[in-house]
Amino acid sequence: MASGLDLEARLVISRNGDDIQIAASGTYLIVNIPSQRVLDELTSSNGPEKTKAPGAPNALQQLNMLALQLGLVLDLRVAGKTYVTFGTGRSPKITFNAVLGKIGSFFR
């Protein structure tokens, strides 16, 4: 288990002309994705469907557990609005913006 992890970073990753921004200060990490469209592209499944064992944590829960183990808070933002916060409790905190964004993406 890691302790005392302290980050200072700024990184921009370009993917298909879209800039994904990553910033870190201390134990706080922000990943800003420019739009719901880009988030949908990043999270879409293009490979074979994976099956998980019954009772196994889902991907969001696994990421939250990793953030807790590392002592980090990960703030996932889309277009500057917080969607999900990891590492602040027993489960990830999904915001109302995420729900509206996902619903809106169904109509595009």
Side-chain angles (χ1 to χ4, degrees):
M1 177 121 62
S3 64
L5 190 60
D6 192 27
L7 303 171
E8 288 297 326
R10 288 181 184 259
L11 176 66
V12 176
I13 300 171
S14 293
R15 182 183 181 275
N16 297 334
D18 296 306
D19 290 340
I20 299 167
Q21 303 167 344
I22 301 171
S25 181
T27 60
Y28 201 81
L29 181 67
I30 297 171
V31 177
N32 187 42
I33 297 173
S35 68
Q36 183 68 43
R37 175 191 56 80
V38 175
L39 178 64
D40 290 343
E41 288 174 5
L42 291 171
T43 58
S44 69
S45 174
N46 294 329
E49 194 66 29
K50 295 179 182 175
T51 59
K52 70 174 196 160
N58 64 28
L60 292 178
Q61 187 62 38
Q62 289 177 353
L63 187 56
N64 190 65
M65 290 183 330
L66 178 62
L68 285 170
Q69 287 176 342
L70 295 174
L72 296 174
V73 174
L74 171 61
D75 186 355
L76 175 64
R77 298 179 183 188
V78 176
K81 296 178 183 173
T82 298
Y83 262 40
V84 183
T85 305
F86 300 95
T88 59
R90 290 181 32 204
S91 63
K93 294 184 180 172
I94 300 172
T95 67
F96 190 60
N97 290 326
V99 175
L100 290 179
K102 194 61 181 169
I103 291 171
S105 72
F106 287 128
F107 296 104
R108 290 190 194 112

